Amino acid sequence: QVQLVESGGGLVQAGGSLRLSCAASGNIFRIGAMGWHRQAPGKRRELVAAFTSGGSTNYADSVKGRFTISRDSAKNTVYLQMNSLKPEDTAVYYCNAGVYLRAGWLPNDYWGQGTQVTVSS
């Protein structure tokens, strides 16, 4: 079984920074796309930043210039550096990955349990 575990969330004041980490473990052959989504109360889950299976990056317009996604593929780990945080960034942040369990198999989509990020005014 594959698990994604997020860490690094917390409470910060507006303008502060946080660094989120997501480590995938389990029966993993290879990870394709991997990134971060977030969901605020009463809102739909949205993509924040991600690596595509081809290695390019996607960012939500609202975080461009403030957030940076990085990864260590050998460790099946992805990071999200969040700077200049705003109250609007308050949400549960979820790690997501497309995981290949074996060569030749189709990838499966896995989600972490989420880590809370709260930005106060």
Side-chain angles (χ1 to χ4, degrees):
Q1 192 173 43
V2 174
Q3 292 182 324
L4 302 180
V5 180
E6 303 100 333
S7 62
L11 173 64
V12 298
Q13 291 187 330
S17 298
L18 286 173
R19 184 175 176 84
L20 306 183
S21 299
C22 172
S25 62
N27 183 216
I28 299 170
F29 173 73
R30 187 176 68 86
I31 292 180
M34 192 173 188
W36 296 91
H37 292 69
R38 68 185 180 187
Q39 187 166 24
K43 297 184 178 180
R44 304 206 315 195
R45 191 172 298 186
E46 64 174 346
L47 182 140
V48 178
F51 285 99
T52 69
S53 59
S56 62
T57 56
N58 292 323
Y59 290 93
D61 288 341
S62 60
V63 308
K64 288 180 179 178
R66 299 188 298 121
F67 292 9
T68 302
I69 189 170
S70 60
R71 66 179 175 181
D72 185 339
S73 296
K75 297 181 178 180
N76 294 326
T77 300
V78 67
Y79 307 92
L80 185 67
Q81 179 66 46
M82 305 186 295
N83 298 326
S84 302
L85 283 162
K86 304 175 180 179
E88 306 93 275
D89 296 317
T90 296
V92 177
Y93 284 69
Y94 296 91
C95 182
N96 170 243
V99 178
Y100 296 84
L101 302 181
R102 186 173 295 183
W105 289 13
L106 296 175
N108 294 330
D109 206 33
Y110 289 88
W111 291 86
Q113 294 300 307
T115 183
Q116 177 71 48
V117 172
T118 302
V119 184
S120 62
S121 301

